[in-house]
């Protein structure tokens, strides 16, 4: 387990107080300071989107924005040259105008960025695993796997984007550790996070599934149930809270309110988990005691607990990189019996191309509606996580202002689709991304898969989004997997190059 040195904890929890929390004492000096403030939170869900219920068009959109329908057999042989964006904060947009899955996120529209039309093109160069395995890995690595096991899953050959950044930060801060959490019920066969193993290879990142264990690991020292909190952590927390109390009377009302909010965050964190900020021995309680394992209630409680820990970790300088996945709720949370084989009976058959055929029976539509309800629940969880980050001051803004939250899914849809792939982001990452926009990319690149289960033409590589994030944190990386891929639309014979180099166009903010 990780243990932070006394010096590191004191600096994070107490010594960095003025730099993190008082805007007049911490003046930004340009891009370098922005890079040093950036934080990354990766939210992940597996099994695919319901693409039709993520996409949205504003009521005033011109007709041509909707003329081309991806997955429609009448248009799938043609390129879609339409590229546009609109302002999610436009006063004409109501909550009802948002697509069903985006609707729970309406209150965060000013800090949200939605992309439509990217494609997970790097799966084309991955020789191992089934499509689920490829997309689990590619979604956050953008690079091929190196081996296969049991004929289905595969192993990554590269650290995931979050871990590349974590390892980069460790070059100057060896004590830096990423926070990687996952509700217990969501752990499955495929893995999405990988890190370097110290011998030239990579290994899976061990995710923490118990909020109490996560608390002990990052805030209480590495202690066993019933043991005292680590002395270093107790001293650090105690000193931090004492500093808050001593400094507050000397501040103006605005800064005093920010300091108090930070103090309350740490205090509530300890209270929530039965911990008291004290040098006395404190017993670690059970995690979410009284909640049924794998129940919807435990999922909600665990996700919120992890969100609180991540916010505290960001605020206290314990980490700048965190992940939380998978956000997929258990069956009974959205009306299905727990015994239902959700993967084969629902996820696999919800292919959006069926909607454009006579196979779109009522049974298919009912199952699509069920998967949409799942997507809505996931979005509701995401919205609450954003609420948490918005509530914590950071400099002259909030934690969300300095954080880039990236919400991704394993697939474009559950029937192995990897093109027309949406992503949802929140915050600007201290100016890395310009938020408040819905961006639709042209899909006119000859598909390197040929036809596969998508159209003959695709949009820009999603790996370029990962490149933008990596560069935004200071890494000198211009592409993942390969600099480009050849593509050819087999029916029309159109050939072209799928560019994998450089950051995703239209995405970046003013400080990049």
């Amino acid at each position: 387990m990780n243990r932070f040195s006394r010096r590191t904890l004191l600096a994070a929890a107490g010594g960095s107080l003025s730099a993190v929390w008082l805007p007049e004492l911490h003046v930004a000096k340009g891009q370098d300071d922005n890079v040093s403030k950036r934080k990354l939170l990766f939210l992940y869900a597996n099994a695919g989107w319901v693409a039709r219920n993520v996409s949205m068009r504003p009521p005033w959109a011109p007709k041509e924005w909707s003329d081309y329908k991806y997955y429609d057999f009448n248009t799938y042989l043609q390129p879609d040259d339409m590229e546009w964006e609109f302002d999610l904060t436009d006063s004409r947009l109501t909550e009802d105008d948002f697509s069903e899955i985006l609707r729970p996120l309406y209150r965060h529209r000013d800090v949200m960025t939605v992309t439509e039309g990217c494609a997970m093109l790097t799966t084309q160069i991955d020789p191992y695993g089934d499509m689920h395995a490829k997309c689990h890995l590619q979604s956050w690595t953008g690079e091929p796997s190196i081996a296969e096991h049991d004929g289905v899953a595969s192993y990554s050959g590269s650290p995931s984007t979050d871990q590349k950044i974590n390892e980069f930060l460790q070059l100057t801060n060896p004590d830096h550790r990423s926070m990687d959490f996952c509700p217990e019920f969501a752990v499955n066969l495929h893995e999405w996070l990988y890190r370097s193993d110290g011998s030239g290879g990579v290994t899976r990142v061990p995710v923490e599934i118990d909020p109490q264990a996560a608390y002990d690991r990052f805030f209480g020292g590495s202690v066993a149930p019933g043991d005292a909190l680590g002395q270093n952590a107790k001293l650090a927390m105690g000193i931090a809270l004492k500093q808050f109390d001593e400094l507050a009377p000397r501040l103006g009302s605005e800064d005093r309110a920010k300091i108090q909010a930070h103090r309350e965050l740490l205090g509530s964190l300890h209270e929530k988990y039965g911990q008291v900020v004290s040098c006395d021995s404190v017993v670690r309680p059970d995690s979410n005691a009284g909640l049924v394992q794998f129940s919807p209630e435990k999922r909600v409680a665990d996700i919120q607990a992890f969100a609180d820990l991540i916010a505290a970790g960001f605020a206290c300088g314990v980490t700048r990189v965190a992940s939380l996945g998978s956000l997929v709720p258990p069956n009974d949370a959205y009306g299905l019996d727990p015994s239902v084989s959700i993967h084969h009976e629902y996820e696999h058959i919800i292919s959006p191309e069926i909607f454009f055929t006579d196979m779109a029976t009522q049974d298919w539509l009912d199952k699509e509606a069920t998967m949409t309800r799942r997507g809505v629940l996931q979005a509701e969880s995401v919205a609450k996580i954003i609420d948490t980050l918005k509530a914590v001051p950071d400099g002259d803004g909030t934690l969300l202002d300095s954080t880039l939250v990236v919400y991704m899914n394993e697939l474009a849809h559950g029937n192995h689709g990897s093109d027309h792939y949406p992503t949802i982001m929140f915050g600007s990452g201290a100016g890395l991304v310009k938020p408040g926009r819905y961006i639709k990319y042209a899909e006119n690149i000859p598909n390197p898969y040929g036809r596969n289960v998508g159209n003959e033409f695709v949009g820009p590589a999603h790996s370029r989004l990962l490149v933008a994030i990596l560069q935004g944190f200071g890494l000198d990386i211009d592409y993942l997997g390969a600099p480009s891929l050849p593509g050819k639309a087999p029916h029309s014979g159109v050939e072209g190059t799928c560019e994998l180099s450089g950051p995703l166009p239209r995405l970046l903010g003013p400080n990049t």
Side-chain angles (χ1 to χ4, degrees):
M1 288 189 177
N2 293 330
R3 293 195 68 162
F4 293 94
S5 67
R6 181 175 184 272
R7 179 179 178 185
T8 302
L9 274 170
L10 290 176
S16 62
L17 181 63
S18 61
V20 174
W21 291 101
L22 301 183
E24 65 269 32
L25 298 181
H26 180 68
V27 180
K29 299 178 181 179
Q31 182 174 341
D32 288 345
D33 279 353
N34 285 322
V35 171
S36 68
K37 291 188 296 185
R38 281 179 184 140
K39 306 167 189 72
L40 175 68
L41 173 56
F42 172 40
L43 305 178
Y44 187 75
N46 54 289
W49 300 99
V50 180
R52 293 197 309 119
N53 294 323
V54 175
S55 300
M56 64 177 283
R57 304 290 184 267
W60 63 86
K63 177 179 178 295
E64 53 266 28
W65 283 17
S66 301
D67 284 345
Y68 187 97
K69 295 179 173 59
Y70 211 79
Y71 299 113
D72 186 343
F73 290 113
N74 293 314
T75 56
Y76 81 90
L77 299 180
Q78 306 165 22
D80 175 17
D81 295 322
M82 292 296 299
E83 183 160 305
W84 43 261
E85 66 178 74
F86 64 87
D87 185 350
L88 288 169
T89 67
D90 191 300
S91 60
R92 294 173 291 177
L93 272 177
T94 69
E95 188 170 355
D96 288 340
D97 293 325
F98 272 52
S99 62
E100 190 169 357
I101 289 177
L102 295 182
R103 204 165 295 151
L105 303 167
Y106 176 79
R107 66 181 180 271
H108 298 307
R109 60 196 180 280
D110 60 321
V111 296
M112 183 165 66
T113 306
V114 182
T115 68
E116 176 187 335
C118 290
M120 213 178 294
L121 301 182
T122 49
T123 56
Q124 174 66 8
I125 54 178
D126 193 339
Y128 298 110
D130 69 1
M131 199 61 181
H132 290 285
K134 293 179 194 291
C135 289
H136 267 294
L137 298 181
Q138 301 291 332
S139 60
W140 205 231
T141 66
E143 302 200 47
S145 54
I146 57 170
E148 185 175 66
H149 67 89
D150 63 32
V152 176
S154 54
Y155 297 108
S156 177
S158 171
S160 45
T161 296
D162 61 312
Q163 295 303 308
K164 281 188 172 77
I165 294 171
N166 179 54
E167 292 166 15
F168 179 74
L169 295 176
Q170 287 176 335
L171 295 176
T172 53
N173 180 9
D175 283 332
H176 187 274
R177 297 292 185 272
S178 62
M179 287 180 157
D180 302 294
F181 304 141
C182 182
E184 185 173 7
F185 67 86
V187 177
N188 60 30
L189 172 67
H190 302 292
E191 298 292 338
W192 49 87
L193 300 180
Y194 283 81
R195 67 184 182 191
S196 299
D197 63 6
S199 62
V202 297
T203 186
R204 291 176 173 178
V205 174
V207 296
E208 185 57 68
I209 64 175
D210 175 28
Q212 274 291 267
Y215 177 91
D216 291 340
R217 178 177 176 184
F218 290 99
F219 294 97
S222 301
V223 295
D227 288 346
L229 290 175
Q231 187 68 15
N232 293 344
K234 290 185 294 183
L235 287 172
M237 289 295 187
I239 289 173
L241 291 168
K242 183 179 179 181
Q243 281 192 353
F244 293 153
D245 295 336
E246 292 176 348
L247 191 58
R250 292 181 280 152
L251 301 176
S253 58
E254 181 179 350
D255 288 331
R256 186 164 58 250
K258 293 177 179 179
I259 288 291
Q260 184 60 31
H262 188 197
R263 192 194 194 288
E264 290 173 357
L265 172 71
L266 294 180
S268 66
L269 179 67
H270 280 264
E271 182 179 355
K272 181 175 293 187
Y273 296 106
Q275 305 286 8
V276 178
V277 181
S278 167
C279 289
D280 298 330
S281 298
V282 180
V283 176
R284 179 174 63 89
D286 293 336
S287 173
N288 293 322
L291 296 180
V292 177
Q293 190 178 25
F294 307 133
S295 67
E297 294 77 16
K298 189 173 190 304
R299 165 192 172 269
V300 169
D302 281 355
I303 288 176
Q304 185 58 56
F306 286 137
D308 290 341
L309 288 169
I310 290 167
F314 284 166
C316 297
V318 173
T319 189
R320 289 171 55 195
V321 178
S323 66
L324 177 54
S326 168
L327 299 179
V328 176
N331 289 7
D332 47 343
Y334 50 97
L336 290 181
D337 189 275
S339 64
V340 171
S341 175
I342 191 73
H343 185 57
H344 291 100
E345 293 183 32
Y346 284 80
E347 293 167 352
H348 266 189
I349 69 171
I350 306 303
S351 177
E353 61 190 16
I354 293 178
F355 181 76
F356 299 105
T357 73
D358 57 7
M359 295 185 292
T361 62
Q362 188 59 50
D363 178 66
W364 182 89
L365 292 170
D366 290 343
K367 290 185 174 181
E368 185 193 50
T370 299
M371 292 295 93
T372 298
R373 285 199 297 275
R374 181 175 72 177
V376 168
L377 284 177
Q378 292 169 190
E380 290 173 352
S381 292
V382 171
K384 292 176 181 177
I385 294 169
I386 304 306
D387 287 335
T388 301
L389 295 176
K390 272 186 173 180
V392 182
D394 185 19
D396 56 357
T398 71
L399 272 183
L400 187 63
D401 295 321
S402 57
T403 302
L404 181 65
V405 182
V406 184
Y407 175 32
M408 280 188 175
N409 209 308
E410 165 203 350
L411 291 158
H413 61 80
N415 194 32
H416 298 178
S418 61
D419 42 10
H420 201 62
Y421 178 79
T423 59
I424 307 173
M425 289 164 279
F426 302 88
S428 73
L432 174 59
V433 170
K434 180 183 176 184
R437 297 180 296 156
Y438 187 109
I439 306 170
K440 193 274 183 187
Y441 291 96
E443 295 170 273
N444 53 10
I445 303 168
N447 195 336
Y449 303 101
R451 171 73 174 97
N452 193 29
V453 291
N455 285 27
E456 290 209 350
F457 295 88
V458 295
H462 102 289
S463 60
R464 298 179 67 184
L465 169 60
L466 306 184
V467 168
I469 295 170
L470 290 164
Q471 291 183 357
F473 277 81
L475 282 77
D476 185 16
I477 293 177
D478 195 51
Y479 66 86
L480 297 168
S484 63
L485 288 172
K488 181 176 181 178
H491 290 85
S492 63
V494 175
E495 298 184 14
T497 298
C498 304
E499 186 62 62
L500 304 184
S501 298
L504 187 64
R506 305 176 70 104
L507 184 68
L508 300 181
N511 296 325
T512 51

